[in-house]
Amino acid sequence: LWSIQPPAKIKQIDLGSEVTGLSSRGDKFHCSTADGNLVELDSSLAVLNTVVANNDEILDLSLLGQEDSHLAVACNSAALRLYKLPEYTCTLVQGHKDTIMCLSVSPLDKDVLCTGSKDREIRIWRLEDEVNEEEEEEDLKKKKKKKKKKKAKEEE
């Protein structure tokens, strides 16, 4: 940490590789390094978690979701890497036709992510609540059962 006025170093950490990206909210920081690692730090700069060696260069990263539930990572790829925190399970999200260069989360809705790509497109994504998806699946199953019962009664 550094004090801005006047500039004075308060604390620093050496991650062993060039730092290429930063994203922070609250008391946590996520950073990417030139060797493709993702590092989670607390406000005292203690390392909380490390995801080692992505296959591609990390171009941008951004926390999103309620209570920062996910970390979006743009690599040298058309696929967005979406890590569910704190497990760091990764889902590849397809959509762009060329390398995703930049990410931005809406300041009005943390579930909305914007991606910009070399394909000259900007895409807006919504992080869906898994609980809602499960509830929707249950509702769909119930509707199908009701349809079957109704059809069976009509055939009698």
Side-chain angles (χ1 to χ4, degrees):
L1 298 174
W2 291 66
S3 173
I4 293 178
Q5 292 189 8
K9 179 171 58 170
I10 296 171
K11 188 162 189 164
Q12 70 182 38
I13 185 172
D14 184 343
L15 295 176
S17 182
E18 297 169 5
V19 176
T20 59
L22 286 169
S23 183
S24 65
R25 273 214 206 125
D27 64 346
K28 290 186 182 168
F29 299 91
H30 284 79
C31 66
S32 59
T33 62
D35 54 3
N37 294 335
L38 295 170
V39 182
E40 180 181 4
L41 306 161
D42 67 14
S43 58
S44 70
L45 299 185
V47 175
L48 301 174
N49 208 338
T50 302
V51 177
V52 179
N54 278 281
N55 294 336
D56 294 314
E57 176 185 10
I58 297 171
L59 302 174
D60 201 0
L61 68 158
S62 191
L63 288 162
L64 73 148
Q66 301 307 311
E67 300 180 25
D68 302 329
S69 61
H70 291 76
L71 179 67
V73 178
C75 294
N76 197 12
S77 166
L80 175 70
R81 291 181 187 198
L82 189 61
Y83 290 91
K84 182 166 177 50
L85 303 177
E87 307 88 23
Y88 284 90
T89 52
C90 183
T91 302
L92 292 179
V93 181
Q94 304 293 332
H96 282 286
K97 296 178 227 82
D98 205 345
T99 303
I100 297 171
M101 299 298 294
C102 53
L103 308 170
S104 181
V105 175
S106 168
L108 302 176
D109 185 347
K110 289 188 200 181
D111 289 334
V112 175
L113 175 72
C114 184
T115 57
S117 168
K118 284 185 176 182
D119 62 12
R120 301 178 184 177
E121 293 180 355
I122 292 174
R123 292 188 180 231
I124 297 176
W125 311 81
R126 173 170 288 287
L127 184 63
E128 295 296 330
D129 185 359
E130 292 169 350
V131 173
N132 287 344
E133 288 176 13
E134 289 171 8
E135 288 172 1
E136 287 172 12
E137 243 179 76
E138 279 297 315
D139 288 344
L140 189 59
K141 286 178 185 177
K142 287 177 186 176
K143 286 178 184 177
K144 284 181 181 179
K145 281 183 183 180
K146 282 183 182 179
K147 265 187 177 180
K148 283 182 181 179
K149 284 181 182 179
K150 187 177 178 182
K151 191 174 184 179
K153 280 185 180 182
E154 288 173 359
E155 289 175 357
E156 290 176 354

